[in-house]
Amino acid sequence: METLLLKADQNGIEKAGEILARGGLVGIPTETVYGLAANALDGEAVARIFRAKGRPMDNPLIVHIADVDDINRFSLISEVPAGAVELASAFWPGPLTIIMPKGKAIPDEVSAGLDTVAIRLPEHMAARAVIRAADRPLAAPSANLSGSPSPTTAQHVLNDMDGKIEAVLDGGVCRVGVESTVVTLAGDKPRLLRPGGITLDRLESVLGEVEVDDAVLNKLRDGETAASPGMKYKHYAPKAHVVLIKADDDAYIDYVNSHADDGVAALCYENDVRRVNVKAYSMGRKDDYSSQAHALFDALRAIDDDATADIVYARCPKPDGIGLAVYNRLIRAAGFEVIDLEEV
Ligand code: TXA
Ligand code: MG
């Protein structure tokens, strides 16, 4: 199949809407990462997403809407849980996904057999325009091959999906750079399942206390079930072996330089780049978590594209604010391997 590259102008958006309405797959821009979209109400179209990504069928998808009214219009949920209206009015449109009891219109392929559904109203204008053009809610996971870093440009999507999907809509570089925050309101208490662009503090300012799921920071033990199935898979990983180094500036530089060799690379803050004696990839500015989120996946993909690194010593980011999302992704890229130079 030839994959069309569409501009996010009126023509491109209409074309993408037509493809989606007749059961096709389109890579679409959002403010977080690019999504691989299909009509969320068409189980067969949704099943094609899993095949294109090589995604396990037990990992449910997020349903994207263009207006809050779409939830009722398409019978997406069976009840409005406590806190949902407050959360939606505070953070939608934006990088927040809310899990709620699922409605009768949701095919099993979307919810992977769970009795809940994840819903998000993205902020990106082209994302909302294409949902409106398709006149249907769109199921969309990140548009990468399963296990690879999420795509933050249309070119990243083509690198993974060329020939497998009908089209990619080019809406530029994603503003946030990591996926949405996922919070469930389907249990007794609100619980953070995946950190993202909306920080825990901001969620708590609306909901009061929010529990943080174990899988956000820690590796699941064998046999433990994940509240968010996506958390159990090795994720975001480049082909090189990534190790996190927990250290201050000087100790990190010393560690990398004392291990400098062919096949060694550094994934570090901007200021570290000129101090290390190995090929270095910047993951943004040290005290600017947003810049780290923005840079992370592009850097992980650049490491793959160059294909010269066998081992990457990555700086362990601070798990505060949006930094928690950066830490959550990078520790998975590293398979939870951390060298702690701060421990005495
Ligand atoms: O920013 C984002 O959220 C992007 C853009 C495209 O919107 N999408 C995205 O989708 O990251 P995906 O499929 O890569 O990640 C969705 C996460 C997975 O960890 C999945 O397990 C979880 O949300 N999820 C989806 N539905 C769920 C449900 N009903 N219960 C628990 N977790 C759910
Ligand atoms: Mg993903």
Side-chain angles (χ1 to χ4, degrees):
M1 168 189 326
E2 196 200 337
T3 301
L4 301 173
L5 181 60
L6 304 170
K7 279 205 215 111
D9 55 16
Q10 204 184 332
N11 274 340
I13 284 165
E14 274 171 21
K15 179 81 190 155
E18 281 164 25
I19 293 170
L20 288 160
R22 54 162 206 266
L25 304 185
V26 181
I28 63 165
T30 84
E31 71 279 14
T32 56
V33 301
Y34 274 73
L36 181 53
N39 175 4
L41 307 180
D42 175 347
E44 259 172 56
V46 171
R48 286 189 58 211
I49 294 178
F50 287 86
R51 291 200 291 275
K53 279 181 63 86
R55 180 179 175 108
M57 291 293 290
D58 67 350
N59 193 4
L61 306 181
I62 297 171
V63 174
H64 297 70
I65 56 175
D67 298 282
V68 176
D69 286 347
D70 289 350
I71 293 178
N72 286 330
R73 187 174 151 224
F74 295 109
S75 306
L76 301 182
I77 65 174
S78 59
E79 80 183 79
V80 182
V85 171
E86 292 81 354
L87 267 191
S89 37
F91 302 119
W92 280 356
L96 176 69
T97 296
I98 308 176
I99 295 181
M100 299 184 266
K102 82 165 181 179
K104 55 182 186 301
I106 300 296
D108 279 344
E109 287 84 354
V110 169
S111 54
L114 301 175
D115 51 14
T116 53
V117 62
I119 300 187
R120 168 158 125 77
L121 200 173
E123 167 196 301
H124 199 295
M125 293 297 289
R128 298 210 303 271
V130 80
I131 298 166
R132 291 196 184 109
D135 199 26
R136 287 150 178 84
L138 299 179
S142 48
N144 49 292
L145 291 172
S146 201
S148 293
S150 295
T152 55
T153 66
Q155 186 58 51
H156 291 167
V157 180
L158 280 178
N159 292 349
D160 282 16
M161 294 296 160
D162 198 12
K164 298 184 172 183
I165 63 177
E166 278 77 2
V168 179
L169 187 66
D170 187 351
V173 178
C174 299
R175 178 179 65 80
V176 178
V178 293
E179 305 87 340
S180 62
T181 301
V182 178
V183 65
T184 180
L185 299 178
D188 294 341
K189 290 186 186 146
R191 178 186 289 264
L192 177 70
L193 300 183
R194 181 176 73 182
I198 302 293
T199 61
L200 183 59
D201 279 354
R202 294 180 72 197
L203 292 178
E204 290 192 323
S205 73
V206 172
L207 292 173
E209 203 200 337
V210 174
E211 291 180 347
V212 177
D213 198 79
D214 230 16
V216 167
L217 290 168
N218 303 308
K219 190 175 182 170
L220 289 172
R221 287 175 292 276
D222 283 347
E224 201 174 353
T225 54
S228 180
M231 286 296 181
K232 76 183 177 201
Y233 299 108
K234 183 163 180 186
H235 238 115
Y236 313 112
K239 292 174 191 85
H241 179 161
V242 179
V243 180
L244 290 195
I245 309 294
K246 200 169 170 195
D248 66 19
D249 295 345
D250 289 343
Y252 174 77
I253 302 292
D254 284 351
Y255 186 90
V256 172
N257 287 343
S258 64
H259 290 77
D261 205 344
D262 283 353
V264 173
L267 177 59
C268 56
Y269 299 136
E270 222 161 83
N271 282 339
D272 303 330
V273 169
R274 61 188 165 76
R275 296 184 62 198
V276 292
N277 300 329
V278 297
K279 171 96 188 172
Y281 299 84
S282 170
M283 51 178 238
R285 291 178 295 279
K286 184 178 176 186
D287 295 313
D288 179 350
Y289 302 130
S290 296
S291 80
Q292 294 165 24
H294 188 77
L296 180 69
F297 288 139
D298 194 48
L300 290 173
R301 280 181 175 260
I303 291 169
D304 267 353
D305 291 345
D306 292 349
T308 48
D310 303 316
I311 183 154
V312 179
Y313 293 117
R315 273 200 85 154
C316 185
K318 286 212 181 66
D320 298 334
I322 295 178
L324 181 62
V326 179
Y327 177 85
N328 169 274
R329 307 309 189 273
L330 201 46
I331 193 130
R332 282 175 170 70
F336 291 88
E337 195 176 338
V338 182
I339 294 175
D340 189 348
L341 301 177
E342 285 170 353
E343 237 171 37
V344 269

